[in-house]
Amino acid sequence: MKKNRICELFGIETPIIQGGMVWCSGWRLASAVSNAGGLGLLGAGSMHPETLIEHIRKMNLATDKPWGINIPLMYPEIGRLMDIIVGEGVKIVFTSAGSPKKYTNMLHEAGIKVAHVVSSSKFAKKCEEAGVDAVVAEGFEAGGHNGREETTTMTLIPQVRQATTLPLIAAGGIGSGAAMLAAEALGAEGVQIGTLFALAKESSASDAFKTMCTSLQEGDTMLCLKKISPTRLVKNQLYTRIAEAEEKGADAEELREILGKAASKRGIFEGDTDGGEIEIGQIASQIKTIDSVDDIMARLKKEYEETKYILTR
Ligand SMILES: Cc1cc2nc3c(=O)[nH]c(=O)nc-3n(C[C@H](O)[C@H](O)[C@H](O)COP(=O)(O)O)c2cc1C
């Protein structure tokens, strides 16, 4: 992808953003992506405030390129995290899972650039009203928490493009240079990639998680937990229990009981591939190897150029 508004906004060479991901995107992954010319994001959603401070300081030592932090706005100690971000001089924040109205002004006053993640054009409009600098439109294919309406990336991007004039980043199901080009054709100016980077060598996810996710077939993940927060999960033992309970009409409380404590930590970080939440996107079925960030970034750029050449010659 050529240098464009997303590159200018964040000061990066290529508009590839590594999505903030609980239990995956610590300083090792995020700094590798930034050093390779993209934008690495720390995933603050799984960090205690002290851990976040540690990762911010390690990021500053590991890269002199731009980088940012993803904060899911439902985080219980959100006020404390925001104070840390401002106090530590962080320059870029990607917010998700909440209203963009709440923190955008405060972050702007501290000189921080703000992007917000949405799964509908209605919420993209709200981002524009809230004055965010860029919007990430994430389709239903994506790993992690997901849109209730199940709108796919292919459907979402052109509608968000029509709904706002904001710099637009596409997310969900992007795992190749060809998919980057497709996102651009639909009106996106950058891509946010999660699944592919969650399975990179530098991701802090457990080896068991990476091994399981690189052996998935098409159809091995499903969206569930709409009564709590819609989440795409691999169909493991925990998923089967959730799906059976949902089939019988279980309420949010019963589902929380089945999940138990720290289900995503158990699945992603500790490698409990039967009893934990294995959050990954549909595109995992196309990823068969665990590669370094440098190799992934080089491949994405090469595939993008090659696909563009084939299509335009
Ligand atoms: C394991 C995992 C954890 C994630 N955690 C977060 C998170 O903490 N905050 C967030 O905004 N998005 C989270 N996401 C979504 C990603 O940031 C990204 O938008 C999404 O993965 C893009 O779709 P893809 O998985 O198809 O590449 C997560 C995704 C995965 C796979």
Side-chain angles (χ1 to χ4, degrees):
M1 276 174 158
K2 280 206 298 267
K3 281 208 164 195
N4 59 24
R5 288 199 294 175
I6 294 293
C7 296
E8 273 164 37
L9 179 64
F10 300 126
I12 54 177
E13 285 158 34
T14 184
I16 298 177
I17 288 120
Q18 162 254 305
M21 290 177 286
V22 289
W23 306 114
C24 298
S25 61
W27 70 272
R28 277 196 186 81
L29 179 62
S31 64
V33 174
S34 287
N35 283 332
L39 184 71
L41 300 180
L42 291 176
S46 53
M47 296 184 188
H48 290 298
E50 296 67 33
T51 316
L52 180 62
I53 294 174
E54 184 193 323
H55 281 256
I56 290 173
R57 294 185 181 168
K58 285 188 171 155
M59 273 308 272
N60 283 327
L61 294 175
T63 184
D64 54 6
K65 300 277 178 64
W67 57 272
I69 301 188
N70 165 255
I71 306 194
L73 294 173
M74 62 196 179
Y75 186 95
E77 290 177 90
I78 185 82
R80 171 106 174 85
L81 284 202
M82 290 295 180
D83 289 345
I84 290 171
I85 281 167
V86 173
E88 294 287 321
V90 172
K91 301 277 185 292
I92 299 167
V93 167
F94 278 47
T95 50
S96 55
S99 166
K101 289 205 173 119
K102 211 163 167 204
Y103 287 101
T104 300
N105 281 348
M106 176 229 145
L107 291 166
H108 277 165
E109 274 163 27
I112 297 171
K113 299 271 188 319
V114 183
H116 189 76
V117 185
V118 301
S119 57
S120 71
S121 42
K122 182 175 142 201
F123 277 91
K125 267 183 175 303
K126 286 190 198 279
C127 287
E128 198 154 45
E129 286 158 23
V132 305
D133 302 293
V135 65
V136 181
E138 188 190 66
F140 160 73
E141 301 92 325
H145 292 243
N146 213 308
R148 202 167 287 281
E149 299 86 4
E150 309 195 354
T151 309
T152 61
T153 305
M154 195 82 153
T155 304
L156 181 64
I157 302 305
Q159 295 190 74
V160 172
R161 180 68 299 158
Q162 271 195 340
T164 87
T165 56
L166 284 171
L168 170 58
I169 300 161
I174 299 168
S176 67
M180 283 166 53
L181 189 63
E184 194 178 18
L186 294 174
E189 295 152 271
V191 293
Q192 173 165 297
I193 294 179
T195 292
L196 185 58
F197 287 125
L199 304 177
K201 279 189 183 146
E202 292 88 342
S203 157
S204 54
S206 62
D207 288 344
F209 171 86
K210 292 181 193 176
T211 304
M212 179 184 225
C213 292
T214 47
S215 65
L216 296 176
Q217 304 297 314
E218 192 188 308
D220 279 349
T221 69
M222 286 293 276
L223 192 76
C224 60
L225 294 170
K226 278 193 181 174
K227 285 183 184 156
I228 302 177
S229 169
T231 314
R232 178 168 296 286
L233 294 181
V234 170
K235 294 175 179 168
N236 65 356
Q237 285 177 19
L238 176 65
Y239 167 82
T240 305
R241 289 180 61 208
I242 292 167
E244 282 170 6
E246 286 183 330
E247 188 73 29
K248 288 184 194 143
D251 62 16
E253 204 178 311
E254 287 170 77
L255 293 171
R256 277 198 195 94
E257 214 163 282
I258 293 172
L259 276 175
K261 275 205 176 129
S264 63
K265 181 182 186 185
R266 291 199 314 269
I268 302 170
F269 194 66
E270 294 170 354
D272 178 1
T273 53
D274 293 329
E277 273 188 321
I278 306 294
E279 293 183 24
I280 204 72
Q282 288 185 341
I283 199 70
S285 61
Q286 277 183 35
I287 304 166
K288 298 294 168 209
T289 52
I290 298 162
D291 298 324
S292 70
V293 164
D294 277 352
D295 286 350
I296 291 170
M297 290 289 283
R299 177 173 66 77
L300 289 174
K301 289 183 217 173
K302 187 164 172 273
E303 283 171 358
Y304 172 87
E305 293 304 335
E306 283 173 358
T307 314
K308 197 166 182 177
Y309 175 74
I310 291 166
L311 292 178
T312 52
R313 112 192 121 145

